[in-house]
Amino acid sequence: DHIAFGAVRLDASGKDADVESEGVGVARCIRLAPDSDVAELAIVVADDLQGMGIGGRLLKQLMKAARRQGIRRFRCEVLAENNSMRALAAGLGGDPRWLNDGVLEYDCPLPHPEPKDEPLWLYWLFAPLEAQLACFFDLLDQATGSSVEIYR
């Protein structure tokens, strides 16, 4: 019940810029309990690349994959001074709740897929089957042992 997407720096030919290079960003979620529809969310982007939309692109891919897995809400803990992450969580519809000194918790509902991501008629056609498809993907994860993907 772990899902992760990572971004790496590519050269002009579309290959990894440096074999020894580290990733530039990761978005991941971990289901909080078996059969839960809530997952803990974490996003990290290299300091020198923040504010360029990398985290948002990773999050978009993560949300699609999470919905397929039956996740309906992300929960995240955010430092009070992390204005970017606070804005992102608020943009997802999360309301802040103070946990302790300088840490907020957001409980964010996952939005339905945007019509540009999937044709609207396709969404309405398959929406009733979404729970069954999520069970299928859960079984697939159990058979393969993980659900980690690379996003480039």
Side-chain angles (χ1 to χ4, degrees):
D1 288 337
H2 297 79
I3 307 169
F5 285 87
V8 297
R9 195 180 312 259
L10 301 178
D11 64 17
S13 68
K15 296 184 180 177
D16 287 346
D18 181 3
V19 177
E20 300 296 320
S21 69
E22 296 180 15
V24 297
V26 174
R28 66 103 177 122
C29 68
I30 300 172
R31 193 181 304 265
L32 292 179
D35 300 323
S36 173
D37 68 348
V38 181
E40 180 184 27
L41 169 68
I43 302 172
V44 63
V45 175
D47 289 342
D48 62 328
L49 297 172
Q50 290 183 4
M52 302 176 91
I54 295 169
R57 289 178 137 180
L58 290 169
L59 177 61
K60 185 175 179 180
Q61 295 300 318
L62 183 65
M63 287 190 303
K64 286 184 201 177
R67 284 196 62 77
R68 287 195 309 264
Q69 298 284 333
I71 303 294
R72 297 294 172 261
R73 292 179 293 138
F74 282 151
R75 186 167 296 150
C76 56
E77 294 181 7
V78 181
L79 294 174
E81 67 264 15
N82 189 342
N83 293 323
S84 297
M85 190 62 189
R86 288 179 65 183
L88 187 143
L92 288 175
D95 291 319
R97 181 175 71 93
W98 286 100
L99 292 181
N100 55 37
D101 190 30
V103 178
L104 296 134
E105 180 181 73
Y106 288 84
D107 196 22
C108 308
L110 269 69
H112 289 290
E114 296 179 25
K116 65 182 178 187
D117 293 336
E118 297 176 7
L120 191 56
W121 65 268
L122 187 62
Y123 172 75
W124 289 115
L125 180 66
F126 288 106
L129 300 174
E130 191 172 13
Q132 288 83 4
L133 291 173
C135 290
F136 168 76
F137 283 108
D138 285 343
L139 291 173
L140 185 61
D141 278 350
Q142 291 172 12
T144 60
S146 71
S147 179
V148 177
E149 302 178 36
I150 301 297
Y151 174 69
R152 293 180 182 208

